[in-house]
Amino acid sequence: MENSAPTTISRRRALTVAGGVAAGAALAAHAVPAFAAGTSDADAIVVGHGLAELVAAGKKVLLLDQEAESNLGGQAFWSFGGLFLIDSDEQRLMGIKDSQELAWQDWLGTAGFDRGVDDPTGQDYWARKWAEAYVDFAANEKRSWLYGLGIRWFPIVGWAERGGGLADGHGNSVPRFHVTWGTGPAVVEPFEKQVRAGVASGKVTFKFRYRVDEIVRTNGAVTGVRGAILEPSTAQRGKATSRTVVGDFQLNAPVVIVTSGGIGANHDLVRQNWPARLGNPPKTMITGVPAYVDGRMLGITASAGGRIVNPDRMWHYTEGLRNYDPIWPNHGIRILPGPSSMWFDATGKRFSAPDMPGYDTLHTLGSITASGYDYSWFVTTSKIIAKEFALSGSEQNPDLTNKDILMLLSRIWQTPEPIEKFRKNGVDFITATTLSELVLGMNKLTGDGLIKLPDLQRQIEARDREIDNPYSKDAQVMGIRNALSYTGDSLSRTAAIHKILDPSAGPLIAVRLNILTRKTLGGLQTDLSGRVLDSTGTPIPGLYAAGEVSGFGGGGVHGYRSMEGTFLGGCLFSGRQAGRAAAAAL
């Protein structure tokens, strides 16, 4: 349902994961004719400097953002660089048989579009159209377009969101998560180069520390923006900046493209829009995005007549770690787990399928909230962590980010250094040689004494007995064997199957998992040109949106759930669509 989110969101603001680099470069690639010379400051104004915006900049374009230049590229810079591709060269190299038809089956089963799909005024009408267009893009032009820009991928394709157990249900039937060689910074780089070339030629002007407070409409059409100029900042990327106002501005243009991101750092707003289907909103969460990702431009655009749809759809991770060396407030890092760790709720009760590592993020989130606690546990072994644990984020993967092949190969014989640092310095890790010592450490960490040794031991031993045969009734054990049948997982992401209580695989490790806020799946409703629609489904003249602020296209291209690798790509695609459409309209 559409709710009161627009009025509340209007008090806040966000920078997209990648909404901006895309709208900017798309405009930069078109010779946008001058419009209403003498009355406009530019042909187009782009609000936010994440990835979608950088794909949109053009002949005479102003790129505005309340943050400093150090944050150019937005959340995309911090990402693991995972991209969703269909029937790619990398998949074929790994022996994966994929197709557009299979991917569309998976997308529909995952998204669950059910809000007016056939009604032009329905919340899911444009979302589904965007989904179909995006799957076609991912199966055809996406890889060749990005390859032509110099982007390359790690050859082993990851298998994220494996789903709930039915062929036509949630999840990826095959591995589709392509990690960019160079991670997030390498995705941003070619688009940033295009925009900076525009700056050098006089086509593009950066206006950092310009905070938009209002989208101006004249006679029904958007004609510019107003806002406040903030004091200069030398803060490093991701660090919080001041909100001290030193002036104001009004800038005029016949096109405004909003690429300002979601609400992930605004926990109050996350809780306000939290859906009942996921239980009660957590009292305690950690944050997976910088503080400026607070949703402010959503409400400002709504005040200009834009329609927000599906505000209750969101994507938060269940495997969050408190960062021992935080960059932004309450900074959390997500574990990208392989399939072998045992997963328990806060009371020590093992989760059942599909609440297994890497299978169904939001179902597991609902199971955690249903437990009455805001955290859960992995119980695992050193052998599993060494092979299966990865951390999301460019800064947590120096081998991939810096394209260091020797460091990458060292993962074969040792636990990656970032994982070891979290294991030694992070507050969420407990290491012990015996299960009784492990339970003592778990209870000491939380202070609630919820874990009972006999009960935990009974469940672990029951699982371990299932390892004795090459077949099993235990769904997770079956999943491990399934993973080992995929070459990519057996090479890099799945430990040889073993008993948790096998001393040779130790020491034992318990990891407290926190709920980590991340993505907004709903947002401004847009048509396939990225034009923002009003409450009647009519495009607002001159107003466009791209990236996370538009639900990655149409106000919710993912529906209820993501298939992963689709956030960066959604920003690229929606930014390019909006940039091209705006250029054509001008």
Side-chain angles (χ1 to χ4, degrees), residues 19 22-23 26-27 52 55-56 130 255 257-259 526-531 544-547 572-584:
L27 278 173
V55 178
W130 270 94
V255 163
I257 304 178
V258 180
T259 66
T526 58
D527 65 11
L528 286 175
S529 294
R531 297 183 297 178
Y544 297 76
L572 291 167
F573 183 58
S574 62
R576 193 178 71 157
Q577 290 287 96
R580 289 179 171 181

Side-chain angles (χ1 to χ4, degrees), residues 15 17 70-71 73-81 183-185 188 236-239 288-290 292 327-328 331 333 391-397 401 518 568:
L15 183 68
V17 136
S70 60
N71 285 287
Q75 297 173 61
F77 178 90
W78 299 107
S79 76
F80 197 35
T183 67
V188 173
Q236 296 179 352
R237 182 186 291 272
K239 294 288 187 179
V289 292
Y292 49 67
I327 297 171
W328 51 79
H331 188 177
I333 295 293
L391 299 175
S392 182
S394 56
E395 81 283 10
Q396 300 297 332
N397 293 275
T401 300
R518 187 61 69 86
L568 280 178

Side-chain angles (χ1 to χ4, degrees), residues 69 133 158 184 191 231 241 264 268 271 327 345 437 484 561 574:
E69 186 171 3
F191 302 105
E231 68 177 354
T241 58
D268 289 340
R271 292 187 182 97
I327 297 171
D345 70 14
E437 291 174 357
L484 288 169
R561 293 178 291 194
S574 62

Side-chain angles (χ1 to χ4, degrees), residues 80 177 179 319 321 333-338 378 384-393 396-397 399-400 411 415-416 418-419 422 429 492-493:
F80 197 35
F177 190 80
V179 177
E319 312 99 331
L321 302 174
I333 295 293
R334 184 206 174 193
I335 297 173
L336 301 173
F378 276 166
I384 290 171
I385 281 187
K387 187 72 174 283
E388 297 191 6
F389 273 31
L391 299 175
S392 182
Q396 300 297 332
N397 293 275
D399 49 356
L400 291 166
R411 293 190 184 213
T415 304
I419 296 289
F422 265 91
F429 280 77
S492 68
R493 293 289 287 141

Side-chain angles (χ1 to χ4, degrees), residues 2-11 272 298-300 302-303 306 308 311:
E2 295 170 82
N3 60 20
S4 60
T7 56
T8 302
I9 299 173
S10 66
R11 300 196 300 268
Q272 176 184 316
L298 275 164
I300 290 171
S303 295
I308 294 176

Side-chain angles (χ1 to χ4, degrees), residues 9-278:
I9 299 173
S10 66
R11 300 196 300 268
R12 298 163 169 92
R13 190 239 182 246
L15 183 68
T16 187
V17 136
V21 184
L27 278 173
H30 291 75
V32 183
F35 183 91
T39 62
S40 294
D41 298 291
D43 300 306
I45 293 171
V46 183
V47 182
H49 58 38
L51 186 58
E53 165 231 289
L54 295 180
V55 178
K59 183 176 181 181
K60 188 177 181 183
V61 178
L62 299 178
L63 302 186
L64 276 59
D65 198 277
Q66 70 176 1
E67 298 304 319
E69 186 171 3
S70 60
N71 285 287
L72 189 65
Q75 297 173 61
F77 178 90
W78 299 107
S79 76
F80 197 35
L83 291 168
F84 176 90
L85 299 173
I86 300 165
D87 193 26
S88 68
D89 291 356
E90 291 75 19
Q91 286 177 301
R92 289 191 289 273
L93 177 66
M94 298 306 299
I96 300 165
K97 296 180 180 179
D98 198 7
S99 68
Q100 186 169 340
E101 293 75 19
L102 180 61
W104 182 234
Q105 170 183 300
D106 288 347
W107 196 291
L108 287 178
T110 298
F113 296 120
D114 61 1
R115 295 175 174 174
V117 174
D118 299 318
D119 178 0
T121 65
Q123 294 189 76
D124 278 340
Y125 179 79
W126 286 106
R128 191 185 188 281
K129 289 184 178 297
W130 270 94
E132 191 166 10
Y134 180 70
V135 169
D136 182 73
F137 173 66
N140 294 289
E141 186 185 0
K142 183 179 180 180
R143 187 187 183 280
S144 61
W145 174 54
L146 295 175
Y147 192 93
L149 292 171
I151 294 175
R152 300 293 185 267
W153 297 273
F154 185 60
I156 296 178
V157 183
W159 196 355
E161 286 296 299
R162 304 183 190 208
L166 295 177
D168 59 353
H170 167 59
N172 290 287
S173 296
V174 297
R176 297 191 178 105
F177 190 80
H178 296 66
V179 177
T180 300
W181 185 234
T183 67
V187 178
V188 173
E189 181 181 8
F191 302 105
E192 181 179 345
K193 283 182 177 179
Q194 290 184 27
V195 174
R196 290 197 182 277
V199 172
S201 67
K203 296 178 181 179
V204 179
T205 300
F206 286 130
K207 289 191 175 293
F208 302 111
R209 304 294 282 161
Y210 273 57
R211 184 188 70 198
V212 172
D213 297 325
E214 180 185 356
I215 296 173
V216 179
R217 292 183 70 175
T218 306
N219 298 323
V222 166
T223 55
V225 295
R226 296 190 185 102
I229 303 172
L230 306 179
E231 68 177 354
S233 172
T234 59
Q236 296 179 352
R237 182 186 291 272
K239 294 288 187 179
T241 58
S242 81
R243 294 294 177 260
T244 300
V245 175
V246 297
D248 54 30
F249 69 88
Q250 177 166 338
L251 295 168
N252 302 315
V255 163
V256 172
I257 304 178
V258 180
T259 66
S260 58
I263 66 173
N266 188 335
H267 290 192
D268 289 340
L269 201 52
V270 168
R271 292 187 182 97
Q272 176 184 316
N273 290 285
W274 191 272
R277 64 182 175 275
L278 292 179

